């Protein structure tokens, strides 16, 4: 791959910028691969995201990249793939301008056999590219948008290319064919919009990558079992991951470009989903629903990541804000977006962080941001309440709700969609409310009221969800596990986001999950505050993350929030809430994923996204409620609301995901959470079975990457191991499988959801005491001896003589463990009753014999001689096998010291010889 | 000369060892043969009672089993006697050995009692005789 990419770049020389972008994308893609770990598609998307950031930077620096350029770059990337493998693609590079067309032509020519749908798609794509290029060129902000679009486009192909390169030497033609083939299906299923096709293409490419290596031209080639099995898995993961990412990017770009962004974004998301769905038939239906959520989640992830990773310069922010404000005045949202984009161009992460900082600032963008933050913040509050509630009684309910949401997603996808629509409506209202809040606290209150009304509506939705939840209640057992996992996930998130804080939190989490949740909230708040103050979100977060300090700060922050409803506080809280909400979302996602495990792939992808969206929505609602209550009751009110918010979450999450994502994007506070999310996502991806998790990861990591290349770098470094191994999706899958197997041995559930380190901790703690200590430790010496028969009685004797009589029945686990230890075959549990009976008889006779022997020696006390005689009669002690040899052979040193006299200095013999 | 003498000595030693081994082996074989013969007779008598016949292999197996069981019993009795700090195997040791088999233990118990009673009678008779003798002497 690496070798191939440079070659491509060199070939692309004429289109230097494009080539550079491609290279960067490729580089990013590698990092993303590492981040994505599991699914090649996800990796591709993730790669795309970083590439986008780089691309943005390139565009801003070198030139205004029009949509055409972006498309071309995408095409180049694709072609580059092919060039590596084949010479035909090289020709395309010669003329950058015509490259895209050529690539398309090549595709057509290659596709030759392609269906009319593919041809239509290609034409649509071309049209789209042209339109995008036209739109983007005229206005600088629009350029940025276009750039973003191009990046989006590029991103999708880039990942695909990266995946292709990694996976196999796939010619661009094959990739294009696969994309075309896959795309029509997905697009048809999902939506008919032409715009969607672009995002679909990358996704399709990803799917193609996975598929083609096996079959080559076939669309989604499951038929090739050998490669396809892994590929199919990878493809699913890739498709899911990619669509989300692509959706995010596309949605953002589209939204920015088109004020109607949401609808477009939704369509884009749907489109993206459609490709994902194409990868796996199950995902298709889901894809339609999830896209919105994905976009939002991605946006959130980006924001979070950006804030965390990229350090925003105040000067740059101010300048960008001023420029944007001046230019953008009219559409606050658009201006904000543009500003963000501009920031993203210069420094995407900064832009995001600036957006966060903007929240504090009084600009329209700030208002927008604040509104977004407010929306999020409210949800964040709810999220915090969720965490708190989760800690308290609500934890169960929240988790259950989330789980129910997962279950609901599975069963009641339609309901969820409806709810999602409602949520979207609510989200819109929330956004409005958020803007109002930004304008003035009073307006905020009003908006909060509106939100409350919305929340009520959400509650209605939640009621329907609650019904679903009831259905999901059956999954309570899983939910419990999921809760524990969620707790772990939270811990993991907090850890990933803030390693230092995470560590302290993990300890604390174990002690008290509720405390951790609060801590996390506090941390997130502190982190957000710090971010708002100093854009170096991570540094601040790290500082604030000193767990105790953070907790105290968080408490104070909470108090402050409750007390002061100032816009900044609200925004900060909102940001914090958003972070928390994101974490919660992640948790909920993980929970849902856990619950979904069985039906994960299709459901998980959708469910995870939905859950995230729902959670976001819930957060938004919660934030609303929290904003209202905080002043009055503060956290308690928030917590109390949290329960309701949990219900709300279910409803809003589905639909709200879109608005939430957009809002989160505007909000800069998000960044701290992305890292943990990535970790969680990685963990999820490691599990691999939960596609939804993978999707989440895909969406989240790429966002992080794109926004904060620097921040991503550490992640990439951390995750680089995975990506390196995972360069080929199949390899990724295998790795994942291995990891899963290893984890699965210990605990499948844990492995599925929790990060590796959390798993290890859990595994280590419980396993160590259970496995070796009691039974094996006693038995091991005997085992080592190899004389199982001899060992067994002895081991038993020690305990029997000591405690057997006290406890007439040895514990089942002990007996079975001993029996299984000496049995060379598997032992069924049915053996236990019989084994118990035999054990009783054996020991009864043992005791009877010892008693008789003692009586025979005219003693009333059983002594070692009696036992020795018994062993002699049992055949353990013979003329050639004295007792001392057996003692030395099987008994530990402590016992040996008691039985075998040893002379020490001073002519002392220990123990004193009793024999007369 | 020396070599021849040494060789002769070795030969003599070997012969002696062989004779010793042979003696031990012969003794063992004779015991086994006796057991085998006894088992054969018992089997023949029982077979006649039940109108059945025992094959040679069965008789040989029973004989071998009996021989080994006797070995085990002997060792157990020895261990029990030593465990009771005695150098002589007593009835108690036998009872302990046979306690697992209720019928055998009961039989042994009865026999031991009979023997004990018989011994007691003998002792009594002896005492009486002795007393008579004393009386007669006294008289």
């Amino acid at each position: 791959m690496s070798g191939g990419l440079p070659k491509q770049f060199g070939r692309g020389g004429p289109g230097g910028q494009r080539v550079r972008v491609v290279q960067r994308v490729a580089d990013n893609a590698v990092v993303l691969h590492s981040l994505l770990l599991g699914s090649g598609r996800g990796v591709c998307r993730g790669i795309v995201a970083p590439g986008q950031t780089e691309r943005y930077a390139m565009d801003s620096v070198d030139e205004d990249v029009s949509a055409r350029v972006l498309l071309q770059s995408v095409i180049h990337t694709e072609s580059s793939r092919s060039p590596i493998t084949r010479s035909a693609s090289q020709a395309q590079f010669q003329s950058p301008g015509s490259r895209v067309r050529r690539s398309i032509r090549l595709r057509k020519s290659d596709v030759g056999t392609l269906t009319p749908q593919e041809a239509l798609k290609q034409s649509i794509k071309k049209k789209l590219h042209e339109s995008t290029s036209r739109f983007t060129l005229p206005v600088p902000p629009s350029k940025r948008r276009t750039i973003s679009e191009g990046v989006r486009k590029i991103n999708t192909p880039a990942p695909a290319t990266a995946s292709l390169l990694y996976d196999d030497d796939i010619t661009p033609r094959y990739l294009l064919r696969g994309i075309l083939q896959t795309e029509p299906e997905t697009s048809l299923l999902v939506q008919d919009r032409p715009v969607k096709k672009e995002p679909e293409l990358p996704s399709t490419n990803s799917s193609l990558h996975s598929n083609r290596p096996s079959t080559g031209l076939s669309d989604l080639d499951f038929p090739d079992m050998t490669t396809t099995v892994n590929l199919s898995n990878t493809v699913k993961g890739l498709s899911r991951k990619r669509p989300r990412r692509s959706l995010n990017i596309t949605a953002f770009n589209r939204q920015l470009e088109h004020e109607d962004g949401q609808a477009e974004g939704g369509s884009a998301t749907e489109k993206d989903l459609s490709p994902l769905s194409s990868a796996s038939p199950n995902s298709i239906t889901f894809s339609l629903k999830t896209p919105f959520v994905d976009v939002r989640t991605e946006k959130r992830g980006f924001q979070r990541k950006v804030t965390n990773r990229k350090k925003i310069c105040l000067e740059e922010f101010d300048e960008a804000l001023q420029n944007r404000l001046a230019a953008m005045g009219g559409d606050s949202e658009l201006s904000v977006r543009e500003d963000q984009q501009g920031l993203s161009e210069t420094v995407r992460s900064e832009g995001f962080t600036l957006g966060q900082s903007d929240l504090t600032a009084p600009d329209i963008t700030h208002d927008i941001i604040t509104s977004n933050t407010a929306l999020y913040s409210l949800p964040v509050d709810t999220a915090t309440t969720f965490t708190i509630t989760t800690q308290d009684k609500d934890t169960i309910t929240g988790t259950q709700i989330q789980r129910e949401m997962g279950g609901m997603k599975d069963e009641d996808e339609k309901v969820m969609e409806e709810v999602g629509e409602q949520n979207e409506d609510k989200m819109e209202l929330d956004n409005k409310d958020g803007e109002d809040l930004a304008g003035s606290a009073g307006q905020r209150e009003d908006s909060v009221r509106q939100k409350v009304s919305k929340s009520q509506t959400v509650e209605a939705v939640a009621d329907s969800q609650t019904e679903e939840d009831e259905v999901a209640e059956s999954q309570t057992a899983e939910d419990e596990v999921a809760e524990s996992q969620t707790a772990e996930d939270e811990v993991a998130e907090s850890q990933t986001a803030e390693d230092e804080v995470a560590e302290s939190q993990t300890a604390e989490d174990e002690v008290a999950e509720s405390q951790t949740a609060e801590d996390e909230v506090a941390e997130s708040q502190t982190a957000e505050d710090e971010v708002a103050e100093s854009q170096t979100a991570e540094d601040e977060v790290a500082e604030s993350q000193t767990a105790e300090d953070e907790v105290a700060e968080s408490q104070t922050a909470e108090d402050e929030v409750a007390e002061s409803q100032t816009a900044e506080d609200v925004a900060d809280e909102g940001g914090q809430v958003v972070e928390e909400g994101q974490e919660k979302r992640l948790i909920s996602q993980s929970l849902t994923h856990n619950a979904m495990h069985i039906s994960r792939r299709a459901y998980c992808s959708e469910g995870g996204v939905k859950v995230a969206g729902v959670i976001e929505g819930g957060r938004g609602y919660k934030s609303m409620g929290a904003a209202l209550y905080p002043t009055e009751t503060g956290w308690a009110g928030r917590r109390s609301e949290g329960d309701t918010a949990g219900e709300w979450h279910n409803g809003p999450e589905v639909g709200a995901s879109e608005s939430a994502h957009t809002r989160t994007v505007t909000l800069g506070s998000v960044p701290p959470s992305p890292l943990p999310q990535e970790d969680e996502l990685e963990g999820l991806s490691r599990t691999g079975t939960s596609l939804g998790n993978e999707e989440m990861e895909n969406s989240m990591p790429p966002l992080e990457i794109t926004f904060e290349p620097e921040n991503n770098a550490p992640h990439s470094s951390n995750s680089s191991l995975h990506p390196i191994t995972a360069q080929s999706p199949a390899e990724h899958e295998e790795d994942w499988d291995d990891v899963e197997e290893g984890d699965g041995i210990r605990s499948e559930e844990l492995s599925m959801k929790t990060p590796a380190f959390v798993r290890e901790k859990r595994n280590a703690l419980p396993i160590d005491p259970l496995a070796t200590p009691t039974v094996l430790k006693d038995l091991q010496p005997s085992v080592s001896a190899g004389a199982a028969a001899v060992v067994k009685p002895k081991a038993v004797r020690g305990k029997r003589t000591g405690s057997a009589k006290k406890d007439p029945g040895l514990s089942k686990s002990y007996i079975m463990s001993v029996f299984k230890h000496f049995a060379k075959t598997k032992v069924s549990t049915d053996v236990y009753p019989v084994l118990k009976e035999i054990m009783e008889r054996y020991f009864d006779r043992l005791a009877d014999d010892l008693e008789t022997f003692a009586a025979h020696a005219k003693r009333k006390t059983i002594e070692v001689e009696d036992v020795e005689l018994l062993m002699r009669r049992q055949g353990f002690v013979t003329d050639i096998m004295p007792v001392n040899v057996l003692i030395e052979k099987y008994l530990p040193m402590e016992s040996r010291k008691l039985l075998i006299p040893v002379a020490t200095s001073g002519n002392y013999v220990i123990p004193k010889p009793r024999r007369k | 000369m020396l070599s021849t003498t040494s060789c002769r000595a070795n030969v003599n030693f070997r012969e002696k060892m062989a004779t010793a081994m042979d003696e031990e082996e012969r003794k063992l074989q004779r015991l086994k043969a006796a057991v085998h013969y006894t088992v054969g007779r018992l089997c023949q008598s029982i077979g006649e009672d039940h109108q059945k016949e025992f094959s040679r292999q069965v008789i040989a197996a029973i004989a071998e089993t009996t021989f080994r069981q006797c070995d085990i019993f002997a060792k157990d009795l020895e261990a029990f006697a030593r465990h009771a700090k005695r150098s002589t195997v007593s009835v108690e040791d036998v009872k302990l050995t046979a306690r697992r088999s209720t019928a055998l233990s009961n039989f042994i118990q009865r026999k031991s009692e009979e023997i004990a009673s018989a011994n007691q009678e003998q002792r009594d008779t002896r005492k009486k005789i002795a007393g008579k003798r004393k009386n007669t002497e006294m008289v």
Side-chain angles (χ1 to χ4, degrees):
Chain A
M1 289 301 296
S2 62
L5 291 173
K7 292 178 180 178
Q8 293 175 353
F9 295 121
R11 293 175 182 173
Q17 294 176 349
R18 295 175 185 175
V19 174
R20 291 176 185 175
V21 173
V22 173
Q23 291 175 349
R24 291 177 182 177
V25 172
D27 295 345
N28 294 336
V30 174
V31 174
L32 292 172
H33 283 290
S34 62
L35 295 174
L36 294 174
L37 298 177
S39 62
R41 292 180 181 176
V43 172
C44 292
R45 292 178 181 177
I47 294 165
V48 173
Q52 290 176 350
T53 56
E54 292 177 354
R55 291 173 184 174
Y56 287 106
M58 292 299 292
D59 294 344
S60 62
V61 176
D62 295 345
E63 294 178 357
D64 290 344
V65 178
S66 63
R68 292 179 183 177
V69 174
L70 295 173
L71 294 172
Q72 290 175 353
S73 64
V74 173
I75 294 165
H76 291 297
T77 57
E78 292 175 355
S79 63
S80 62
R81 298 172 186 172
S82 62
I84 296 166
T85 55
R86 295 179 182 179
S87 63
S89 61
Q90 293 176 351
Q92 295 175 351
F93 290 93
Q94 294 174 351
S95 63
S98 64
R99 287 175 185 175
V100 175
R101 294 177 183 177
R102 289 179 181 178
S103 64
I104 295 165
R105 293 174 184 176
L106 292 172
R107 293 175 185 176
K108 291 178 180 179
S109 62
D110 294 345
V111 172
T113 58
L114 296 175
T115 60
Q117 293 176 349
E118 294 176 352
L120 292 172
K121 291 178 180 178
Q122 291 176 351
S123 63
I124 292 164
K125 291 176 181 176
K126 291 177 181 178
K127 292 177 181 178
L128 292 171
H129 290 292
E130 292 175 357
S131 64
T132 55
S133 62
R134 292 174 184 174
F135 288 101
T136 55
L137 293 173
V139 180
S142 65
K143 290 178 180 177
R144 294 175 183 176
R145 293 177 184 176
T146 56
I147 293 164
S148 62
E149 291 176 354
V151 172
R152 294 172 186 173
K153 295 174 181 179
I154 293 166
N155 292 341
T156 54
T161 56
S163 64
L164 292 170
L165 293 172
Y166 291 104
D167 295 347
D168 291 341
D169 292 344
I170 298 165
T171 61
R173 293 179 181 177
Y174 286 102
L175 296 172
L176 294 172
R177 290 175 183 174
I179 293 165
L180 293 172
Q181 292 174 353
T182 56
E183 288 176 355
E185 294 176 356
T186 58
S187 64
L188 293 172
L189 294 172
V190 177
Q191 292 179 350
D192 294 342
R193 294 177 183 178
V195 176
K196 296 176 181 178
K197 293 178 180 178
E198 294 177 354
E200 289 174 354
L201 292 172
S203 62
T204 54
N205 291 336
S206 61
S207 64
L208 291 171
H209 294 294
S210 60
N211 293 335
R212 288 182 178 177
S214 61
T215 55
L217 295 176
S218 62
D219 301 347
L220 299 175
D221 293 340
F222 294 91
D224 293 351
M225 294 306 290
T226 57
T227 56
T228 55
V229 175
N230 295 336
L231 293 173
S232 63
N233 295 334
T234 56
V235 170
K236 291 177 181 178
L238 292 170
S239 63
R240 292 175 183 175
K241 293 177 180 179
R242 290 177 181 176
R244 291 178 182 176
R245 294 176 181 176
S246 64
L247 291 172
N248 294 333
I249 296 164
T250 56
F252 283 100
N253 293 330
R254 291 175 183 173
Q255 289 176 352
L256 294 171
E257 292 176 358
H258 305 284
E259 293 178 356
D260 295 344
Q262 292 176 348
E264 292 179 356
S267 64
T269 55
E270 290 177 354
K271 293 174 181 178
D272 294 342
L273 293 173
S274 65
L276 294 174
S277 63
S278 64
S280 62
N282 293 338
S283 64
I284 294 167
T285 56
F286 294 96
S287 63
L288 294 173
K289 297 175 182 179
T290 53
F292 295 92
V293 175
D294 291 346
V295 172
R296 292 175 182 176
T297 55
E298 291 175 355
K299 291 176 180 178
R300 292 175 184 176
F302 283 106
Q303 292 172 348
R304 294 174 184 175
K305 293 175 180 178
V306 171
T307 55
N308 290 334
R309 293 178 180 175
K310 294 181 179 177
K311 294 178 180 178
I312 298 164
C313 296
L314 296 175
E315 294 177 356
E316 292 178 355
F317 279 101
D318 294 342
E319 292 176 356
L321 291 172
Q322 291 175 354
N323 295 334
R324 291 176 184 174
L325 290 172
M328 296 304 292
D331 292 342
S332 61
E333 293 177 354
L334 294 173
S335 64
V336 171
R337 292 176 183 175
E338 291 176 355
D339 294 342
Q340 292 175 351
Q341 291 176 351
L343 293 172
S344 63
E345 291 176 355
T346 57
V347 178
R348 293 179 183 176
S349 61
E350 291 177 354
F352 287 98
T353 55
L354 291 174
Q356 294 176 350
S357 63
D358 291 346
L359 294 176
T360 58
D363 293 344
I364 295 166
T365 57
H366 293 291
D367 294 346
I368 295 164
I369 294 164
T370 54
S371 65
N372 294 328
T373 55
L375 293 172
Y376 286 97
S377 64
L378 294 174
V380 172
D381 295 347
T382 55
T384 56
T385 56
F386 281 106
T387 55
I388 294 165
T389 56
T390 54
Q391 294 171 352
D392 297 342
K393 295 176 182 177
D394 297 346
T395 55
I396 297 165
T397 58
T399 55
Q400 290 176 352
I401 292 164
Q402 293 175 348
R403 294 171 185 175
E404 289 175 355
M405 291 301 292
M408 293 301 292
K409 293 174 180 177
D410 296 340
E411 295 176 355
D412 300 344
E413 293 177 355
K414 294 178 180 177
V415 175
M416 293 298 291
E417 291 177 353
E418 293 176 356
V419 174
E421 292 176 355
Q422 294 176 354
N423 292 332
E424 290 176 354
D425 296 342
K426 293 176 181 179
M427 291 300 292
E428 293 175 355
L429 295 173
D430 293 341
N431 292 330
K432 294 176 181 177
D433 295 341
E435 293 176 355
D436 295 342
L437 292 170
S440 64
Q443 292 177 354
R444 291 176 184 174
E445 291 176 355
D446 294 344
S447 63
V448 171
R449 292 176 184 175
Q450 293 176 354
K451 291 176 180 178
V452 173
S453 63
K454 293 176 180 179
S455 64
Q456 292 175 353
T457 57
V458 173
E459 289 177 352
V461 176
D463 294 345
S464 62
Q465 293 177 350
T466 55
E467 293 176 354
E468 295 175 353
D469 295 347
E470 292 176 353
V471 175
E473 288 176 354
S474 62
Q475 298 173 348
T476 54
E478 294 177 353
D479 293 348
E480 293 176 353
V481 174
E483 289 177 355
S484 61
Q485 292 177 350
T486 56
E488 293 177 354
D489 294 346
E490 291 176 355
V491 174
E493 292 176 354
S494 62
Q495 291 176 350
T496 56
E498 300 170 356
D499 296 344
E500 295 175 355
V501 176
E503 293 175 353
S504 62
Q505 288 177 352
T506 54
E508 293 176 357
D509 291 346
E510 293 175 356
V511 175
E513 293 177 356
S514 61
Q515 292 177 352
T516 56
E518 293 176 355
D519 295 343
E520 289 176 356
V521 173
E523 291 176 356
S524 63
Q525 292 175 352
T526 56
E528 291 175 355
D529 295 345
E530 291 176 356
V531 172
E533 293 174 357
S534 62
Q535 294 174 346
T536 58
E538 294 175 353
D539 295 345
E540 292 176 357
V541 172
E543 292 176 356
S544 64
Q545 289 173 349
T546 56
E548 295 175 355
D549 296 345
E550 290 177 356
V551 172
E553 292 177 355
S554 64
Q555 292 175 354
T556 57
E558 292 176 354
D559 296 343
E560 291 177 356
V561 172
E563 293 175 358
S564 64
Q565 296 175 348
T566 59
E568 293 177 353
D569 293 347
V570 174
D572 295 345
E573 291 177 356
Q576 294 175 354
V577 173
V578 172
E579 293 177 353
E580 293 175 355
Q582 291 175 348
E583 293 176 353
K584 292 177 180 178
R585 292 173 184 174
L586 293 173
I587 295 165
S588 63
Q589 292 175 353
S590 62
L591 293 172
T592 54
H593 291 294
N594 294 334
M596 299 301 290
H597 287 294
I598 295 167
S599 62
R600 281 178 183 170
R601 293 178 179 175
Y603 291 101
C604 288
S605 61
E606 295 178 358
V609 175
K610 291 178 180 178
V611 172
V614 173
I615 293 166
E616 292 176 354
R619 292 176 182 176
Y621 291 102
K622 290 178 181 178
S623 63
M624 296 298 289
L628 293 175
Y629 291 95
T631 57
E632 296 175 358
T633 57
W635 287 96
R638 292 179 183 176
R639 292 178 182 177
S640 62
E641 292 176 357
D643 298 343
T644 58
E647 295 176 354
W648 295 357
H649 287 294
N650 294 336
E653 287 175 353
V654 174
S657 61
E658 294 176 354
S659 62
H661 289 287
T662 56
R663 294 174 183 176
T664 55
V665 172
T666 56
L667 295 174
S669 61
V670 176
S673 62
L675 296 174
Q677 291 177 349
E678 290 179 352
D679 294 344
E680 291 177 354
L681 293 173
E682 290 177 354
L684 295 172
S685 64
R686 291 177 182 174
T687 57
T689 54
S690 62
L691 295 175
N693 292 336
E694 292 177 355
E695 291 177 356
M696 293 300 293
E697 293 178 357
N698 293 335
S699 63
M700 295 304 291
L703 294 173
E704 293 176 356
I705 294 164
T706 55
F707 286 92
E708 299 172 355
E710 293 177 354
N711 294 339
N712 292 339
H715 292 288
S716 64
S717 63
N718 294 336
S719 63
S720 62
L721 297 175
H722 298 284
I724 293 166
T725 56
Q727 291 177 350
S728 64
E731 292 177 355
H732 284 289
E733 291 177 355
E734 292 176 353
D735 294 346
W736 289 14
D737 294 344
D738 295 344
V739 173
E740 290 177 358
E741 290 176 355
D743 294 344
I745 295 168
R746 293 178 182 177
S747 62
E748 293 177 356
E749 294 175 354
L750 294 175
S751 65
M752 294 301 290
K753 298 174 183 178
T754 59
F757 57 91
V758 175
R759 296 176 200 161
E760 291 178 354
K761 287 182 180 179
R762 289 184 180 178
N763 293 337
L765 294 176
I767 291 169
D768 292 345
L770 295 175
T772 53
T774 57
V775 177
L776 294 177
K777 286 181 179 177
D778 296 343
L779 295 176
Q780 283 176 348
S782 63
V783 173
S784 62
V790 175
V791 174
K792 193 172 182 178
K794 282 191 176 180
V796 175
R797 283 178 196 164
K799 287 199 173 180
R800 288 174 185 172
T801 55
S803 62
K805 291 181 179 178
K806 293 178 182 177
D807 298 337
L810 293 171
S811 65
K812 181 179 178 180
S813 61
Y814 180 83
I815 292 171
M816 290 301 290
S817 63
V818 173
F819 192 72
K820 288 178 180 175
H821 179 269
F822 293 107
K824 293 179 180 178
T825 59
K826 291 181 180 178
V827 179
S828 70
T829 56
D830 299 339
V831 174
Y832 176 71
V834 179
L835 193 62
K836 187 178 179 182
E837 180 69 15
I838 292 169
M839 293 279 285
E840 287 180 357
R841 287 190 181 185
Y842 175 79
F843 286 110
D844 285 345
R845 172 158 292 185
L846 193 77
D848 188 35
D849 287 348
L850 290 172
E851 186 180 356
T852 304
F853 294 157
H856 185 69
K858 293 173 178 138
R859 281 185 278 102
K860 291 183 180 178
T861 305
I862 297 169
E863 292 182 355
V864 178
E865 298 169 1
D866 299 327
V867 178
E868 182 181 352
L869 179 63
L870 184 69
M871 291 179 72
R872 184 176 289 277
R873 291 216 63 198
Q874 288 175 340
F876 297 124
V877 176
T878 60
D879 294 339
I880 57 172
M881 181 60 69
V883 178
N884 286 353
V885 173
L886 292 173
I887 290 168
E888 292 174 356
K889 210 171 182 181
Y890 299 110
L891 293 182
M893 197 65 190
E894 302 87 45
S895 300
R896 189 193 299 181
K897 287 179 179 176
L898 298 174
L899 296 172
I900 298 174
V902 176
T904 60
S905 62
N907 195 23
Y908 289 114
V909 177
I910 299 171
K912 291 182 179 177
R914 327 165 190 165
R915 296 178 185 174
K916 306 150 189 177
Chain B
M1 293 298 290
L2 294 172
S3 64
T4 55
T5 54
S6 64
C7 287
R8 289 178 183 175
N10 288 336
V11 171
N12 293 334
F13 178 77
R14 288 178 182 175
E15 287 178 353
K16 288 181 180 178
M17 288 299 292
T19 55
M21 290 296 292
D22 290 343
E23 287 296 325
E24 196 71 16
E25 192 67 16
R26 276 178 204 166
K27 198 173 182 182
L28 199 62
Q29 290 296 330
R30 287 176 65 184
L31 284 171
K32 278 192 177 184
V35 171
H36 189 274
Y37 173 73
T38 306
V39 169
R41 281 184 59 187
L42 290 170
C43 289
Q44 188 176 0
S45 63
I46 294 168
E48 289 177 353
D49 294 343
H50 295 277
Q51 304 297 326
K52 298 270 177 74
E53 289 184 359
F54 289 87
S55 66
R56 292 174 179 274
Q57 289 78 6
V58 171
I59 293 168
I62 293 169
E64 184 67 18
T65 303
T66 303
F67 196 78
R68 291 189 183 184
Q69 190 66 34
C70 289
D71 186 10
I72 294 168
F73 279 151
K75 288 181 180 177
D76 283 346
L77 291 171
E78 190 177 0
F80 289 150
R82 201 186 307 142
H83 182 69
K85 296 179 178 63
R86 281 184 276 102
S87 60
T88 307
V89 175
S90 68
V91 178
E92 296 301 320
D93 298 331
V94 176
K95 288 180 183 177
L96 194 62
T97 304
R99 76 184 191 286
R100 287 284 163 65
S101 175
T102 55
L104 186 61
S105 64
N106 290 335
F107 179 78
I108 291 169
Q109 182 67 22
R110 205 162 1 98
K111 280 292 178 186
S112 66
E113 288 177 357
E114 290 178 358
I115 293 168
S117 62
N119 291 337
Q120 193 66 29
E121 289 177 355
Q122 288 180 355
R123 289 176 187 173
D124 293 344
T125 54
R126 288 176 185 173
K127 285 180 181 178
K128 289 179 181 177
I129 295 168
K132 288 180 181 178
R133 288 179 181 175
K134 286 180 180 177
N135 293 332
T136 54
E137 288 178 356
M138 289 296 290
V139 173

